[in-house]
Amino acid sequence: MEVVSVGIDVSKRELVIAVHPTGEQWTAATTPPAIATVVTRLRTLGPRIIVVEATGGYERALVAAMAVAALPVAVVNPRQVRAFAQAIGRTAKTDAVDAGILASFGGRLEPAPRPVTDVATQTLAALVARRRQLLEMIGMERGRLEHAPPTGHLTRELRRHIRWLERRVEDVDDEIGTCIAAHPTWRVQEELLRSVPGVGPTTARTLLGELPELGRLDRRAIAALVGVAPFNCDSGQHRGQRHIWGGRASVRATIYMAALSAARYNPVLRAFYRRLRDAGKPAKVALVATMRKLLTVLNAMIKHQSHWTPQVASTPASLTGQARAATV
């Protein structure tokens, strides 16, 4: 008997639901009452997996409702689903077709359901993202100020707006601090993360908000999730250059900046970076390797609730099993 899976194509105002292998389809609105009706109907079907594409936020209410109902839901990368559709020869694209492809994707590949982040984590992630947006706006306004006349109404307006944005960044920083202070686990984790030379408050708070899997996955899985794991490009006798790709861009950018600092001020990671450079590795390759090592260390520290110590980090051969995991 084939596995029953459900695919849901989510748009701003409509849900298109498809069931594999029966081919049953129906549509529903995205209002809370309509979502509740969909959840009730799905519970009667008892699917093995429900597949939803990440749509930039429109799927959140639906996924949260299904999580409360203990339904197995997987939020997948749209690129994976499109590659699957091309592999089975389905090149047409409509909402109904997409829902059917999602259902087939779930039935054939059975992606693992992922736990939904709690409301507090979603709030923290939203604040971290908002801070990043404000900084991007400040950068754009400063660029405009450079090309504005030295004096005049436009210049004054730009300067006022920059000052207002800077105050908003400070306000959001305070909100993030309050959010973390109200969460006992986050207070401890932020202290652990910031004990690593090179990891500042921005890096620690971004990891807490946008990488809740930190400390729950092994080093290979967490590196792939962030997008710092090298992937082979080999074929026959050809041995291509390994490249990183995918992952969570905002987290990867934060780890990049932390690794830049750690390569200068963290004694262990500075020695690691210099060893790679002395071996002939290009600067960017050595820095990406430093990013991966830093992420591995942070992941192990959160997993084992241990602080950074240079002595432990620089002498892996003499470590116990737990401490060794924190420095590999």
Side-chain angles (χ1 to χ4, degrees), residues 175-222:
E175 292 180 54
I176 293 173
T178 302
C179 188
I180 292 175
H183 199 293
T185 302
W186 286 344
R187 290 202 305 269
V188 174
Q189 290 179 341
E190 184 184 29
E191 181 185 355
L192 294 178
L193 294 173
R194 292 186 62 179
S195 69
V196 180
V199 175
T202 299
T203 300
R205 293 173 175 187
T206 300
L207 293 174
L208 291 176
E210 300 189 332
L211 193 64
E213 299 87 352
L214 191 68
R216 303 176 187 174
L217 303 177
D218 63 44
R219 60 187 179 87
R220 293 182 178 85
I222 200 72

Side-chain angles (χ1 to χ4, degrees), residues 216-298:
R216 303 176 187 174
L217 303 177
D218 63 44
R219 60 187 179 87
R220 293 182 178 85
I222 200 72
L225 185 62
V226 175
V228 295
F231 292 95
N232 293 355
C233 183
D234 302 336
S235 179
Q237 299 298 316
H238 172 73
R239 295 294 179 268
Q241 188 176 19
R242 295 183 177 186
H243 295 278
I244 61 171
W245 65 276
R248 299 181 185 174
S250 59
V251 178
R252 186 170 59 253
T254 301
I255 291 291
Y256 175 83
M257 297 306 296
L260 276 177
S261 177
R264 296 181 62 187
Y265 302 110
N266 186 305
V268 176
L269 295 179
R270 182 176 64 238
F272 176 78
Y273 176 81
R274 289 311 318 169
R275 187 164 64 248
L276 292 175
R277 293 289 287 131
D278 293 342
K281 298 294 184 183
K284 189 59 68 70
V285 172
L287 185 58
V288 169
T290 305
M291 292 168 61
R292 187 165 60 253
K293 185 174 180 65
L294 174 60
L295 180 63
T296 300
V297 168
L298 297 175

Side-chain angles (χ1 to χ4, degrees), residues 73-125:
V73 58
V75 181
V76 299
N77 190 322
R79 183 168 52 186
Q80 287 181 289
V81 180
R82 182 43 45 188
F84 172 79
Q86 293 172 345
I88 63 176
R90 300 293 296 275
T91 55
K93 183 171 174 55
T94 66
D95 292 346
V97 169
D98 287 349
I101 290 171
L102 286 167
S104 298
F105 180 90
R108 298 188 188 185
L109 301 183
E110 296 188 39
R114 293 288 180 87
V116 179
T117 55
D118 55 66
V119 176
T121 303
Q122 292 178 18
T123 301
L124 179 59

Side-chain angles (χ1 to χ4, degrees), residues 137-149 152-166:
M137 286 189 280
I138 289 174
M140 289 187 288
E141 290 292 75
R142 284 176 176 166
R144 296 183 183 105
L145 182 61
E146 289 181 1
H147 299 284
H153 173 73
L154 177 60
T155 300
R156 290 194 299 271
E157 169 61 24
L158 287 170
R159 287 174 177 162
R160 280 197 299 267
H161 193 211
I162 290 171
R163 287 195 298 270
W164 182 85
L165 289 171
E166 289 172 341

